[in-house]
Amino acid sequence: MTANEDQEMELEALRSIYEGDDCFKELSPVSFQFRIGDLEDSKSFLLEVSWPENYPETAPDISLEAFFNNRISPETKQYILSKLSEQVEANLGAAMMYTLFEWAKENQETLMENHQPVTSAVTLISNSDVMNNSTSVSKKKEKKEQLTKAQKRKLIGRTDNKGELPRGWNWVDVIKLSKTGGKDED
């Protein structure tokens, strides 16, 4: 079999195995994303794998540079990539994507044992500035007028069963206006 035929067979197998699995995403016929762990899990990470032309004879390109992984330290990323490359070496020459993904799932705790969530200083500064500015503005906006029980009852008494005021509640009587303050043309 040629490398292209191997790739086609493995691609079909991956599609059938991971059909309906939201952890697996096919970006192109030779490029994939696989999330290890749940979205809410702080120790989850996203593998991006792409096949070079001679895959599986040559190793796939594995990356952890997705935005999803921006909270993982460079040291942890390097550790994960080194462990994955050991698995790649052991499976070189054979279809290995399923094996890699499943191995990563089984060893997630080990791979992420030294994980400390990373946040950039720039993000912290800009968030705190935004928070300080927005809290002072939002405190002013949040203050609502508190109604007494009597005021609430009066409002409810004026509304229909849908909570709407009856048609014309704010209309002005034309007759009252003419009596109280129209210009006299004498």
Side-chain angles (χ1 to χ4, degrees):
M1 264 195 245
T2 66
N4 282 344
E5 289 171 341
D6 283 343
Q7 286 180 4
E8 285 296 319
M9 286 179 62
E10 185 169 5
L11 179 59
E12 288 303 315
L14 288 172
R15 284 176 178 162
S16 65
I17 291 170
Y18 294 113
E19 182 180 355
D21 188 343
D22 65 341
C23 290
F24 178 79
K25 184 176 183 183
E26 181 181 336
L27 303 175
S28 76
V30 294
S31 182
F32 314 94
Q33 284 184 338
F34 194 82
R35 188 181 73 245
I36 309 298
D38 295 327
L39 282 172
E40 301 82 30
D41 187 359
S42 67
K43 294 192 175 202
S44 62
F45 56 94
L46 188 69
L47 289 176
E48 288 186 323
V49 182
S50 55
W51 293 342
E53 197 170 316
N54 294 331
Y55 172 83
E57 308 309 320
T58 46
D61 299 320
I62 302 173
S63 168
L64 291 169
E65 296 306 312
F67 182 76
F68 186 83
N69 299 329
N70 68 346
R71 62 189 161 45
I72 301 173
S73 69
E75 296 80 22
T76 304
K77 286 181 184 178
Q78 193 57 48
Y79 178 71
I80 293 170
L81 290 173
S82 69
K83 291 297 181 185
L84 284 170
S85 64
E86 290 174 13
Q87 293 301 310
V88 168
E89 293 300 319
N91 292 295
L92 209 54
M96 67 179 86
M97 299 315 305
Y98 176 77
T99 310
L100 272 180
F101 293 155
E102 293 303 310
W103 181 87
K105 278 186 356 187
E106 290 169 13
N107 294 284
Q108 176 189 3
E109 284 300 315
T110 312
L111 293 172
M112 296 293 284
E113 65 187 350
N114 295 323
H115 168 64
Q116 296 294 326
V118 173
T119 54
S120 64
V122 175
T123 308
L124 289 174
I125 290 168
S126 62
N127 282 349
S128 65
D129 288 348
V130 170
M131 290 301 287
N132 290 341
N133 291 341
S134 66
T135 51
S136 61
V137 172
S138 64
K139 282 180 185 173
K140 292 175 187 172
K141 289 182 182 176
E142 285 178 25
K143 182 113 176 145
K144 284 186 175 179
E145 182 182 335
Q146 294 294 321
L147 300 176
T148 64
K149 285 184 180 179
Q151 289 172 322
K152 289 178 185 176
R153 275 192 219 108
K154 191 173 181 183
L155 270 178
I156 291 171
R158 280 194 241 159
T159 60
D160 61 6
N161 61 351
K162 295 178 189 169
E164 296 177 4
L165 293 167
R167 182 171 182 260
W169 69 272
N170 61 349
W171 293 356
V172 178
D173 279 340
V174 177
I175 297 169
K176 285 183 186 173
L177 279 178
S178 65
K179 289 180 182 173
T180 56
K183 288 186 179 177
D184 289 335
E185 294 180 14
D186 292 311

